[in-house]
Amino acid sequence: MIESSFNSSDKKVVLVSSSDENHPPENIIDGNTQTFWMSTGMFPQEFIIRFAEATGIAAVTVDSYNVKHLKIEKNNSPNVSHFESVTEKDFERTEGHLQSNVISLNVNSATHLRFIVTSGDKGCGPGCCGQSLWMKVLRDLQT
Amino acid sequence: MVKLRARCLLAGDAAVGKSSLSHIFYSDGSLFQKNYSMTTGVELLVKSVSIPETNDTVELYILDTPGKDTLVDGCEKMWGEPSLLCLVFDLTNEQSFVNCGGWMERVRAHCQGLHVPGVLVGNKSDLSARREVQASVAREWAQSQGLEYHETSAKEMENCDAPLLSLALAFHSLYQEHRENIQNLSPG
């Protein structure tokens, strides 16, 4: 198993449900923990990553904040449609530091991965009911 | 430029003017329904508000919900997790003001213990001769609940934008605050 860094040349974000132009979705896959994408209100929020070619993915590391529940789906089509569920996970709430989760996918081949945040955390700063979150996919582990 | 989205719950007793207010706001003051038609389901009105001195907008998803007791239980599950609250009472009906306490409790149960920015709106300010709730009393109670107080007349289209504009501003500043928190996070 080779660990490959998640650089943006072989993958790109093709859909995002919301964004702030100062924190665009490309930040999710730029491999830099200092940059981030932030959703701008309400749930669910999602983004879809397209790979240059069908790719096997054993696991994905997700650094995030205020994510409560994440669903991951995949497809093997050139189009952004007909996704099937891969896994879902509840994230532990953190205060003042990132949530870092390695999520096992065991996907043999996928052209798109879809990440859906169905709900945000209670601890999302003073006064907000989970209107924003930050997420970054740092690297995948290729089989 | 950023476009924010907020779920704004409109709550309060029946016939205080929630639907009138939301329609005046939604239609920029061109629509005041003269006949009363009780809201029996949840109506969704989406309105974009520009934040002054920025290129940002807040899209308010206003949920106009029934105030009638028998309908509240059925519709409450559609409240979801509100990001903003607009609580309305009738200035000429003291009971509708007293009941605001009960509304706050109901709303809090949906907010998982978090503070939700909100406004208290005393509507029907045009009926000054029939006023039963003094502004000072309402303002004091609003402060104790962390709400900003506004008085409006949907009929005269007076001040109707103010409560929702102030909610949009509150949501915008919450977003800025939240973004700063995120920028200062340490790695997991």
Side-chain angles (χ1 to χ4, degrees), chain B residues 21 24 121-126 150-163:
Chain B
L21 270 177
I24 296 273
V121 179
N123 190 34
K124 311 194 189 178
S125 62
D126 52 294
H150 294 268
E151 289 193 356
T152 58
S153 164
K155 178 174 169 282
E156 303 298 331
M157 295 171 191
E158 264 175 26
N159 210 28
C160 293
D161 287 354

Side-chain angles (χ1 to χ4, degrees), chain A residues 20-21 40 66 126-127 134, chain B residues 1 3 115 174-175 177-178 182:
Chain A
D20 179 332
E21 65 180 2
T40 63
N66 292 335
W134 143 7
Chain B
M1 195 196 93
K3 189 177 193 176
H115 169 71
L174 199 61
Y175 177 78
E177 191 181 321
H178 195 226
I182 285 176

Side-chain angles (χ1 to χ4, degrees), chain B:
Chain B
M1 195 196 93
V2 56
K3 189 177 193 176
L4 305 177
R5 294 193 184 97
R7 196 179 176 87
C8 176
L9 178 67
L10 201 55
D13 277 10
V16 297
K18 297 184 293 300
S19 302
S20 294
L21 270 177
S22 59
H23 282 112
I24 296 273
F25 180 70
Y26 179 69
S27 67
D28 293 316
S30 62
L31 194 77
F32 177 71
Q33 281 278 358
K34 290 200 172 124
N35 298 326
Y36 179 64
S37 161
M38 184 165 64
T39 305
T40 53
V42 176
E43 190 183 7
L44 177 67
L45 296 164
V46 183
K47 171 99 175 176
S48 265
V49 178
S50 300
I51 303 298
E53 292 163 34
T54 69
N55 292 319
D56 302 346
T57 52
V58 176
E59 208 169 45
L60 294 174
Y61 286 66
I62 303 166
L63 294 169
D64 183 20
T65 66
K68 186 88 181 154
D69 307 347
T70 45
L71 298 169
V72 176
D73 290 339
C75 292
E76 208 181 312
K77 57 178 173 293
M78 293 167 78
W79 289 8
E81 261 184 55
S83 354
L84 298 168
L85 169 67
C86 181
L87 181 56
V88 187
F89 71 96
D90 176 351
L91 286 164
T92 69
N93 175 350
E94 189 168 12
Q95 193 56 46
S96 74
F97 173 63
V98 172
N99 291 345
C100 285
W103 284 106
M104 281 304 284
E105 272 175 40
R106 268 187 192 262
V107 174
R108 284 206 184 101
H110 284 257
C111 300
Q112 305 184 40
L114 291 166
H115 169 71
V116 170
V119 290
L120 178 70
V121 179
N123 190 34
K124 311 194 189 178
S125 62
D126 52 294
L127 300 173
S128 50
R130 284 165 51 190
R131 181 189 272 265
E132 290 183 4
V133 182
Q134 294 312 311
S136 57
V137 176
R139 184 169 290 113
E140 196 175 316
W141 185 80
Q143 273 174 0
S144 75
Q145 302 294 311
L147 305 172
E148 200 176 297
Y149 183 59
H150 294 268
E151 289 193 356
T152 58
S153 164
K155 178 174 169 282
E156 303 298 331
M157 295 171 191
E158 264 175 26
N159 210 28
C160 293
D161 287 354
L164 290 152
L165 289 178
S166 102
L167 285 175
L169 286 171
F171 192 76
H172 184 255
S173 63
L174 199 61
Y175 177 78
Q176 309 279 17
E177 191 181 321
H178 195 226
R179 191 173 58 179
E180 274 167 37
N181 286 344
I182 285 176
Q183 272 161 340
N184 295 327
L185 284 177
S186 51

